[in-house]
Amino acid sequence: MPDTRPSPYFVLFNEIGILHQLSRALLEARLPDGLLSSHFGVLNHLVRVGEGTTPLAIARAFQVPKTTMTHTLSGCVKHGLIEMRPNPEDARSKCIWLTDKGRQVREDMVAAAATGMGDFAEHFPEDKVEALLPALTEMRQFLDKARDEI
């Protein structure tokens, strides 16, 4: 009888996908009214990789259509989380910058997510989580670098 077990690569990405869904639900339960996980994603991206980037560059980073990202960015502007300024290198486009409120909301959400991890942190101590991070970071960096080749 042939081995019908899925490959470990499938199982890995399946688990990561499920973890993403569950962690997003945890985050969304703590977001202020009217904010979505996509808004937090933009704030987190700008803090992590830097501000002053274009909507198209952010859309590419999130691998979503520009129209989808434009909608997300509009929500962020509406909530006062980001501002769009003229692109000094191309007057036809804009660059995205965090507002003080956007930075604070992001910091508040990171803190809220951490406080919501009580049972998780008891079951998975920090050292166990930290042991996973190098391999996960390496996988993300590999996939990020190869995104246009996949």
Side-chain angles (χ1 to χ4, degrees), residues 31-40 43 71-84 97-106:
L31 284 172
D33 285 341
L35 294 185
L36 305 172
S37 63
S38 57
H39 298 142
F40 175 78
L43 300 178
H71 181 72
T72 299
L73 294 173
S74 294
C76 290
V77 168
K78 178 180 137 189
H79 291 287
L81 306 173
I82 63 166
E83 56 183 39
M84 294 189 190
W97 299 88
L98 285 165
T99 63
D100 289 341
K101 180 181 178 183
R103 276 184 227 294
Q104 189 61 55
V105 165
R106 190 261 183 189

Side-chain angles (χ1 to χ4, degrees), residues 15-28 117:
E15 291 295 331
I16 290 170
I18 294 167
L19 285 167
H20 175 257
Q21 290 172 333
L22 294 169
S23 62
R24 189 174 77 198
L26 179 72
L27 172 72
E28 287 178 342
M117 295 282 175

Side-chain angles (χ1 to χ4, degrees), residues 6-99:
S7 79
Y9 301 106
F10 172 82
V11 174
L12 171 70
F13 286 109
N14 190 54
E15 291 295 331
I16 290 170
I18 294 167
L19 285 167
H20 175 257
Q21 290 172 333
L22 294 169
S23 62
R24 189 174 77 198
L26 179 72
L27 172 72
E28 287 178 342
R30 288 163 174 73
L31 284 172
D33 285 341
L35 294 185
L36 305 172
S37 63
S38 57
H39 298 142
F40 175 78
V42 167
L43 300 178
N44 201 48
H45 177 78
L46 293 171
V47 167
R48 192 173 65 81
V49 302
E51 303 173 71
T53 189
T54 65
L56 181 59
I58 297 174
R60 285 183 180 149
F62 281 77
Q63 296 185 300
V64 298
K66 186 174 182 274
T67 53
T68 300
M69 186 51 63
T70 298
H71 181 72
T72 299
L73 294 173
S74 294
C76 290
V77 168
K78 178 180 137 189
H79 291 287
L81 306 173
I82 63 166
E83 56 183 39
M84 294 189 190
R85 299 180 195 160
N87 185 341
E89 296 175 17
D90 180 357
R92 297 170 296 167
S93 71
K94 304 278 187 194
C95 291
I96 309 302
W97 299 88
L98 285 165
T99 63

